[in-house]
Amino acid sequence: MARNSTDTKEKLLDAFDILLDKQGISGATLDAVAAKAGVSKGGLLYHYGSKAELIKGSLERLDRLVDEDVESMKAAGERLHLYYLETSAEIGTPLDRSLIAASCLAQENDEAKSALRRTREAWFNALNNHLGDADMAMTIQLIGDGMYFNQNFGLSQDEALAHVKNVLARLGL
Amino acid sequence: MARNSTDTKEKLLDAFDILLDKQGISGATLDAVAAKAGVSKGGLLYHYGSKAELIKGSLERLDRLVDEDVESMKAAGERLHLYYLETSAEIGTPLDRSLIAASCLAQENDEAKSALRRTREAWFNALNNHLGDADMAMTIQLIGDGMYFNQNFGLSQDEALAHVKNVLARLGL
DNA sequence: GTCTATAATGAGATAGAC
DNA sequence: GTCTATCTCATTATAGAC
């Protein structure tokens, strides 16, 4: 049992994101989210008064997780761009789940599209500040986007990452 | 009025793909598809007996369009990889709409996931045969995936393409 | 080949008890 | 803060007329 409101709200967002990831929009119904979070639909609607609010909550959490991720990138120092690529294909992390959820929602929700745009801007700025080379920053970001996109429909990106690293080596990175 | 069955079926697939692109899965209802194609729901269900069959029809058309696209890539000769990147960010073509539709569906449909995997394989083989370099073929494909992914949520990729071409020039491509 | 009418289901949301 | 019960509406699908 969740002791306080914050815990339950986080559990609800977790359930929502996971259902979006695994079953898509049609699977992430209020009934299913409530069941997965271990509360009733009425319980869910106490915390998030409508599906729109649940979506808003998920996207706000994405913003927070991206801020944290940019800090982690900076902490990687000289390996910043490699850290970015390695984590682009990562699965199962809170950030990854949150991102996939937003990608699902973006299909039919403009707020989600905006959230993803903000995410990309934050990462591009980090890459560009580090590399001092907009061409390379954009190219590396696109490669990360590509790996993320593929991983999304069930393709392991381990091999892809190895190929990319070979190319980056040729570019002195 | 469509004179024959084939015309109406194509119109229905067009309407389905466009609705998926613009409004996502929730917007692409049978009612909406029928209305956009200019027939009644009963008319739609005569041609495609269920939503599952409509989805199947859309994915089969994607397969055909991809086959044609691979032929176009080969026809581009030495510019094959550039042709690939330039068309990755293209919008409004039948192939593009069909691909976005499949990406939408992939969120909750395994057949759509498989169709996208086949698409990627076909393109990778074309790139790899042309370049004779799996590292570069994979990297270029990922960049194309990235541009496609971004264009999907409303970011023009013209600037991105220019950045990428600068990097490819450094690699002698 | 296309239509209308309607059945059956499942969704989001509200009301009020505990 | 969480529950059950219920309302309303949209969606898929069927039946049968034209």
Side-chain angles (χ1 to χ4, degrees):
Chain A
M1 289 297 154
R3 215 160 287 141
N4 58 56
S5 181
T6 308
D7 281 359
T8 303
K9 290 184 85 167
E10 282 294 305
K11 274 202 314 183
L12 286 164
L13 292 183
D14 288 345
F16 185 47
D17 286 353
I18 290 171
L19 282 167
L20 282 169
D21 295 2
K22 301 217 169 133
Q23 301 186 230
I25 291 184
S26 317
T29 63
L30 296 187
D31 267 315
V33 171
K36 193 167 188 75
V39 299
S40 69
K41 186 153 59 166
L44 185 164
L45 287 163
Y46 169 77
H47 293 288
Y48 296 100
S50 67
K51 190 155 196 179
E53 280 188 40
L54 187 60
I55 290 171
K56 195 158 151 258
S58 173
L59 296 176
E60 283 171 356
R61 188 165 72 167
L62 172 61
D63 278 341
R64 292 199 300 276
L65 291 170
V66 169
D67 285 347
E68 289 170 22
D69 188 58
V70 169
E71 291 310 308
S72 300
M73 284 173 75
K74 289 177 185 163
E78 280 310 301
R79 290 190 81 262
L80 186 146
H81 57 293
L82 294 172
Y83 173 89
Y84 172 75
L85 287 173
E86 285 159 5
T87 55
S88 285
E90 223 170 38
I91 55 177
T93 64
L95 173 58
D96 171 61
R97 280 195 284 107
S98 193
L99 259 177
I100 299 182
S103 304
C104 278
L105 295 170
Q107 204 183 96
E108 56 188 65
N109 182 295
D110 288 339
E111 293 301 315
K113 283 200 179 84
S114 299
L116 288 175
R117 272 196 285 268
R118 283 194 300 277
T119 296
R120 278 184 48 77
E121 276 169 33
W123 282 332
F124 178 78
N125 289 338
L127 285 166
N128 196 26
N129 285 342
H130 169 57
L131 295 166
D133 178 342
D135 291 335
M136 276 309 304
M138 178 58 77
T139 302
I140 287 177
Q141 177 160 46
L142 286 168
I143 293 169
D145 292 336
M147 292 200 299
Y148 170 75
F149 175 71
N150 292 325
Q151 167 245 294
N152 241 7
F153 54 87
L155 291 170
S156 164
Q157 295 300 294
D158 296 348
E159 206 187 324
L161 183 61
H163 284 303
V164 167
K165 284 188 174 178
N166 288 338
V167 171
L168 291 183
R170 294 191 219 170
L171 288 157
L173 290 167
Chain B
M1 287 297 155
R3 214 162 285 141
N4 59 56
S5 181
T6 309
D7 282 356
T8 304
K9 291 185 83 168
E10 281 294 305
K11 274 201 314 183
L12 285 165
L13 292 184
D14 288 345
F16 185 47
D17 286 354
I18 290 171
L19 282 166
L20 282 170
D21 293 3
K22 300 216 171 133
Q23 303 186 228
I25 292 185
S26 317
T29 64
L30 297 188
D31 267 315
V33 171
K36 193 168 190 74
V39 299
S40 69
K41 186 153 60 167
L44 185 164
L45 286 163
Y46 169 77
H47 294 287
Y48 296 100
S50 67
K51 189 153 197 181
E53 279 187 41
L54 188 60
I55 290 171
K56 194 158 151 258
S58 173
L59 296 176
E60 282 170 358
R61 188 165 74 165
L62 173 62
D63 278 341
R64 293 199 301 277
L65 291 170
V66 169
D67 286 346
E68 289 169 22
D69 188 60
V70 169
E71 292 311 308
S72 301
M73 283 173 74
K74 289 177 185 162
E78 280 310 301
R79 290 189 82 263
L80 186 145
H81 57 293
L82 294 172
Y83 173 89
Y84 172 76
L85 287 175
E86 285 158 7
T87 55
S88 285
E90 224 169 36
I91 57 177
T93 65
L95 173 58
D96 171 61
R97 280 195 282 107
S98 193
L99 259 178
I100 299 183
S103 303
C104 276
L105 294 170
Q107 202 182 97
E108 55 188 67
N109 182 294
D110 288 340
E111 294 300 316
K113 283 200 178 86
S114 299
L116 288 174
R117 271 195 287 267
R118 283 195 299 278
T119 297
R120 279 184 48 79
E121 276 170 32
W123 281 333
F124 178 78
N125 289 337
L127 286 166
N128 196 26
N129 285 342
H130 169 58
L131 295 167
D133 178 341
D135 292 334
M136 276 309 302
M138 178 58 78
T139 301
I140 287 177
Q141 177 159 49
L142 286 169
I143 292 169
D145 292 335
M147 293 201 298
Y148 170 75
F149 175 71
N150 292 325
Q151 168 246 293
N152 241 8
F153 52 89
L155 292 170
S156 163
Q157 295 301 293
D158 296 348
E159 204 187 328
L161 183 59
H163 284 303
V164 167
K165 283 188 174 178
N166 288 339
V167 171
L168 290 183
R170 294 191 217 170
L171 287 156
L173 289 167

